[in-house]
Amino acid sequence: MKFTLTWLKEHLETDADAAAIAEKLTSIGLEVESVSDAGAALKDFVVAQIVTAEKHPNADKLRLCMVDAGTAENLQVVCGAPNARAGIKVVLARPGIVIPASGEALKTGTIRGVESRGMLCSGRELLLSEESDGIIELAADAVIGAPVAAALGLTDPVIDVSITPNRGDAASVYGIARDLAAADFGKLKTPPLEKIPGKFASPKKIALDFTPENKNACPIFAGRLIRGVKNGPSPKGIQERMKAVGLKPISALVDVTNLIAQEYGRPLHVFDADRLSGNLHARMAKDHEQLLALDGKTYVLDGETVVIADDSFARGIAGVMGGEDTGCSFETKNVFVESAYFDPARIARAGRKLGIISDARYRFERGVDPEFVLPGLELATKMILELCGGEPSEIVVAGAASKRDAAIAFDPAFVAKLGGLDVPAAESLRILKNLGFAVEGGKVTPPSWRSDISGPADLVEEIIRIHGINKVPSAPMTRPDAVARPVLTQGQRRARSARRALAARGFNEAVHFSFIARDAAALFGGGDDARQLANPIAADLDALRPSLLPSLLAAAQRNQARGFSDLTLFEIGAQFQSGMPGAQENAVFRNANHSQLS
């Protein structure tokens, strides 16, 4: 889960820097993997302006540039970029600076007989993009001689948090801010949710088409039509924010859904309404039903996969990935925005079976807030109207968010008993309230976004992690005996003693499969149906061996056939008195005098 510091501070009122926030997050159980600052990596690169750009005297495709970097004298730089021209502001690397793409320090060099005392950098050389055909052109108001980080908009650190499978509520910027606020590390900003009134009745209806045994696959399904939108690239600020956290900008309509998922943990999907046939249905897929997904691959579905379908075909793998046939493009004029809650177990199964990893699946299988279906739809509507215009319909809803009776009887004294930390009762209850829990009459009700809370022990964990895990006193483990107790069983000790004793007498240990041919097993009291393998790994290994002797005799025969007749072998392994459970016994057999040890 990645987010920028500026993004977090849109939801958390705090003056803390990235390092302090990272330390606090780790202390409350949200482990920070890294804090990256692209601007810091480019601290030695400066803004420069090309004063003149003339043809290289000895090369047709090179330009000889005089560059103003804010120093007393202009620098001479040879550049092969087609867009190198006088007047533009660029990124300059002086000799001695390490170029990120190559990892090597830049040196003053001679190119076609002309000295070059620097480099004008492209996006690829700075690892900022795949662009390598031309050098970066900075804004006209960039300050010559200043570090390029500000001019490139790279002054915002990115924090990467490792989210455990039970903390789906923390898979969002707002969820991270909520936890920090609960730990008194700032004040949570909760702006009022604006409901967008519909201008007309939605021509697209929705339905939940599930059998009684599958009704929990999608308890609530909501959506609305927005007509007359004008899709296109997202504004530069949104694109930069998405790129900073590893998301690829696609179009304004698609970027809206990705931003809301990242910011509020609410996955959404937008369909091109003109490509839909009839109404929408949430249902189980038909066996062998196929769908061409947004990743360009065709997936074969089964009856345990939840899909969003129209009157003709499945149009999306619910909670995992939408279909390409109804995806939005720059020509899209009317969209249907879908918001729903899906069963986490079914989403996880579908994602694993189909091998699809997506941001939607990441959140749904960890558990999203079932009561945020409609608020998430309102947020998407607001952003789409701001970026793309259009007119929204009334919201259509099928089903309802299921409410669980999750009140937990809780005694604050349980914190000291289970957590080993003496937290005042008032402080414990305050922490729970700050985390969104309802506390009344000795009972605590978890908020809708904490589906992982089911008992008093979970509440203690929440209190301890927010109060401070580092405050739990260390205690040595008790050892009733000075010497550690043995961990080997009696049978393991006997097997070890037998192995060492026989090896010391010159025996060679053989290791065989516990299976032999059925004909060989019959010669030693086996070969019956009860000890026959249903799926043998080889035709001559189709029966459980009744004794170790046939395996050792076969080994002796193979050695003798190759001229090794003077040998002593032993084996420690399993033999089977029958095919019933508990009929396996371990034995040691040596072929010197054919004596068997129990």
Side-chain angles (χ1 to χ4, degrees):
M1 170 62 199
K2 292 183 178 181
F3 56 91
T4 65
L5 180 61
T6 301
W7 202 352
L8 176 69
K9 289 188 176 182
E10 289 181 5
H11 298 282
L12 184 70
E13 189 177 319
T14 179
D15 295 326
D17 60 11
I21 288 173
E23 183 179 356
K24 188 63 176 180
L25 285 171
T26 300
S27 73
I28 62 174
L30 298 173
E31 183 180 0
V32 173
E33 294 280 350
S34 64
V35 179
S36 57
D37 189 347
L42 303 178
K43 61 183 176 61
D44 296 324
F45 294 80
V46 298
V47 177
Q49 185 172 31
I50 300 177
V51 179
T52 62
E54 300 176 352
K55 179 181 174 297
H56 191 289
N58 303 319
D60 293 336
K61 294 185 178 181
L62 298 178
R63 308 285 289 176
L64 183 59
C65 302
M66 297 304 295
V67 178
D68 178 10
T71 56
E73 296 182 0
N74 292 339
L75 299 176
Q76 180 174 279
V77 179
V78 176
C79 181
N83 63 329
R85 63 190 186 278
I88 65 171
K89 292 184 178 178
V90 294
V91 179
L92 173 67
R94 296 189 180 96
I97 292 176
V98 176
I99 306 301
S102 65
E104 297 179 356
L106 182 66
K107 299 178 181 179
T108 299
T110 301
I111 303 175
R112 293 291 183 94
V114 177
E115 185 182 57
S116 179
R117 294 192 292 162
M119 174 189 284
L120 305 183
C121 301
S122 68
R124 176 176 290 182
E125 287 157 346
L126 300 184
L127 299 180
L128 298 178
S129 71
E130 294 299 319
E131 281 292 329
S132 61
D133 295 336
I135 55 178
I136 296 172
E137 297 186 33
L138 301 175
D141 59 354
V143 179
I144 295 174
V148 300
L152 291 172
L154 299 176
T155 58
D156 203 2
V158 177
I159 303 173
D160 186 5
V161 179
S162 177
I163 303 298
T164 53
N166 67 315
R167 290 301 307 277
D169 65 294
S172 66
V173 182
Y174 186 79
I176 297 287
R178 182 170 51 211
D179 258 26
L180 287 169
D184 293 328
F185 204 77
K187 183 179 179 182
L188 185 65
K189 301 177 184 178
T190 308
L193 178 66
E194 181 182 351
K195 292 187 177 181
I196 310 298
K199 301 289 184 65
F200 58 94
S202 174
K204 298 286 185 185
K205 308 302 179 185
I206 61 176
L208 299 175
D209 297 335
F210 295 101
T211 57
E213 61 270 20
N214 291 322
K215 65 180 181 180
N216 68 330
C218 178
I220 180 171
F221 177 24
R224 79 186 324 164
L225 186 93
I226 304 177
R227 66 188 181 192
V229 299
K230 186 177 181 180
N231 196 18
S234 296
K236 182 181 178 181
I238 290 179
Q239 292 193 38
E240 290 178 350
R241 174 166 286 184
M242 295 183 67
K243 291 177 182 177
V245 298
L247 296 175
K248 180 181 178 182
I250 298 173
S251 70
L253 288 171
V254 178
D255 293 351
V256 164
T257 63
N258 289 334
L259 277 174
I260 292 177
Q262 192 78 9
E263 189 163 5
Y264 292 99
R266 163 39 54 185
L268 302 157
H269 187 68
V270 285
F271 295 94
D272 187 324
D274 296 328
R275 297 183 180 183
L276 294 171
S277 175
N279 298 317
L280 287 174
H281 312 262
R283 60 171 172 82
M284 305 305 293
K286 302 171 185 175
D287 282 332
H288 309 299
E289 188 171 9
Q290 297 187 14
L291 183 138
L292 175 62
L294 287 170
D295 60 0
K297 299 179 182 179
T298 299
Y299 295 95
V300 180
L301 312 178
D302 60 22
E304 296 183 5
T305 303
V306 186
V307 297
I308 301 297
D310 59 16
D311 290 340
S312 299
F313 307 105
R315 298 299 189 178
I317 305 169
V320 180
M321 186 172 289
E324 186 173 281
D325 294 340
T326 55
C328 293
S329 67
F330 288 164
E331 287 73 40
T332 297
K333 302 299 180 186
N334 304 298
V335 296
F336 188 87
V337 187
E338 168 252 312
S339 180
Y341 177 81
F342 302 108
D343 174 38
R346 286 181 169 86
I347 300 305
R349 178 196 172 277
R352 285 196 300 267
K353 184 176 179 63
L354 299 173
I356 302 176
I357 298 175
S358 66
D359 285 339
R361 173 196 165 185
Y362 177 86
R363 288 171 171 82
F364 271 118
E365 68 184 8
R366 282 165 172 74
V368 301
D369 184 356
E371 296 184 13
F372 204 72
V373 169
L374 294 178
L377 183 57
E378 297 284 13
L379 286 171
T381 303
K382 183 176 184 293
M383 287 193 67
I384 290 174
L385 295 181
E386 290 174 352
L387 299 179
C388 305
E391 285 187 320
S393 74
E394 296 174 352
I395 292 177
V396 286
V397 183
S402 55
K403 293 184 180 293
R404 54 180 185 144
D405 183 15
I408 302 169
F410 180 68
D411 181 359
F414 194 49
V415 176
K417 180 179 180 181
L418 186 63
L421 190 62
D422 188 13
V423 182
E427 173 67 6
S428 296
L429 299 180
R430 187 190 68 84
I431 289 174
L432 292 176
K433 290 178 181 178
N434 287 348
L435 287 170
F437 292 79
V439 180
E440 185 178 358
K443 291 192 175 183
V444 177
T445 303
S448 58
W449 57 83
R450 292 304 302 269
S451 58
D452 59 311
I453 303 296
S454 58
D458 298 324
L459 300 177
V460 171
E461 180 183 0
E462 293 299 298
I463 294 167
I464 293 296
R465 74 178 182 87
I466 297 297
H467 185 73
I469 297 176
N470 58 333
K471 297 178 182 178
V472 177
S474 299
M477 296 181 64
T478 57
R479 293 182 62 181
D481 302 307
V483 179
R485 294 179 179 178
V487 295
L488 296 179
T489 65
Q490 183 180 5
Q492 289 171 328
R493 291 198 302 273
R494 293 172 61 191
R496 172 183 285 188
S497 298
R499 179 179 286 112
R500 297 183 67 172
L502 291 170
R505 287 164 174 76
F507 282 77
N508 295 302
E509 183 175 7
V511 180
H512 296 96
F513 286 115
S514 297
F515 321 126
I516 58 176
R518 186 171 188 175
D519 293 343
L523 299 175
F524 292 86
D528 52 283
D529 291 340
R531 280 176 278 188
Q532 188 71 10
L533 300 180
N535 187 24
I537 60 175
D540 58 345
L541 296 173
D542 60 343
L544 296 174
R545 62 183 180 185
S547 169
L548 305 186
L549 183 57
S551 298
L552 284 172
L553 289 175
Q557 183 182 37
R558 287 192 297 271
N559 279 275
Q560 189 174 34
R562 289 163 176 78
F564 299 101
S565 56
D566 185 14
L567 74 160
T568 51
L569 300 175
F570 78 93
E571 180 173 3
I572 301 174
Q575 60 187 27
F576 301 86
Q577 297 305 310
S578 73
M580 300 302 292
Q584 173 183 329
E585 63 180 25
N586 294 325
V588 182
F589 200 98
R590 58 192 178 97
N591 71 344
N593 59 5
H594 305 298
S595 63
Q596 185 167 342
L597 308 178
S598 59

